[in-house]
Amino acid sequence: MKASERIEEALEVLWECLMEDSSPQMEAENQLSQKLEISLDQLEQEGLVERSAETIQFTPAGKKEAERAIRRHRLSERLCYDIIETDQVDMEEAACQVEHIVKNGNEEKICRLLGHPETCPHGKPIPPGDCCRKAREAKERFVVPLTSLKPGEAGTIAYIKAGDSKKLQKLMVMGVLPGNAIELNANFPSFVFSVDYSQYAVDADMAAAIIVKRG
Ligand SMILES: [Zn+2]
Ligand SMILES: [Zn+2]
């Protein structure tokens, strides 16, 4: 393994300890010495971590590096699992093999291909890139709460954002279900909409829970 690869792996391990583990500080040093032939001293010399007697933390540069390494690693896992259909057992090795493809400036393309995934196949979060943020914004303009429609405007129900199950149940009884067509008929004094040949009136809170795909 090259020195740069050892450092990258160390940063990934540290990311999991420091950013995702609930009992990080003591663990980090142990895990690092067990898994890798690299010491925290080395990482400190590279300006990637800062240590005091009790704590280890990333420097801003180290945090950025680690986040990128984790993102590439987990995107590689997704690529193996979703596209190449490697099974979970062989995934770690396969992921290492495709990681260099992801590295060579293809990261955004691969992220787009995979639909900007939020988690790896193990369920761990993939730090979002610029491409993910842009995609999210574009989609958000397209998918809006019912309260954002103008009277007479129609769309398709995308999902229901109900905080509690009572609200969800009430809406479902009205036929507010993903995929159903919905039209806003009025927005004052209450929100009146038609769905499934019936018309209902709800308050703003309820209407805001119905997320609609415009058009
Ligand atoms: Zn994973
Ligand atoms: Zn993305």
Side-chain angles (χ1 to χ4, degrees), residues 71 108 111-112 116-117 129-133:
R71 174 168 155 76
E108 289 214 346
C111 192
R112 222 172 294 141
H116 309 286
D130 286 341
C131 58
C132 311
R133 281 185 276 269

Side-chain angles (χ1 to χ4, degrees), residues 77 120-122:
E77 287 182 336
C120 79
H122 305 102

Side-chain angles (χ1 to χ4, degrees), residues 186-203:
N187 59 10
F188 187 82
S190 57
F191 285 84
V192 180
F193 65 85
S194 337
V195 70
D196 216 7
Y197 304 107
S198 304
Q199 205 177 47
Y200 302 95
V202 296
D203 61 14

Side-chain angles (χ1 to χ4, degrees), residues 128-191:
D130 286 341
C131 58
C132 311
R133 281 185 276 269
K134 275 182 211 151
R136 220 164 283 164
E137 277 171 27
K139 212 164 149 197
E140 263 163 22
R141 278 199 294 274
F142 192 60
V143 180
V144 295
L146 185 67
T147 47
S148 298
L149 296 191
K150 290 186 206 81
E153 208 180 338
T156 311
I157 298 162
Y159 58 94
I160 302 166
K161 205 169 127 194
D164 60 286
S165 57
K166 251 190 213 154
K167 207 196 272 179
L168 183 68
Q169 260 172 29
K170 259 191 217 165
L171 288 169
M172 284 171 74
V173 168
M174 296 174 189
V176 175
L177 294 168
N180 281 355
I182 188 166
E183 187 183 330
L184 185 71
N185 306 124
N187 59 10
F188 187 82
S190 57
F191 285 84

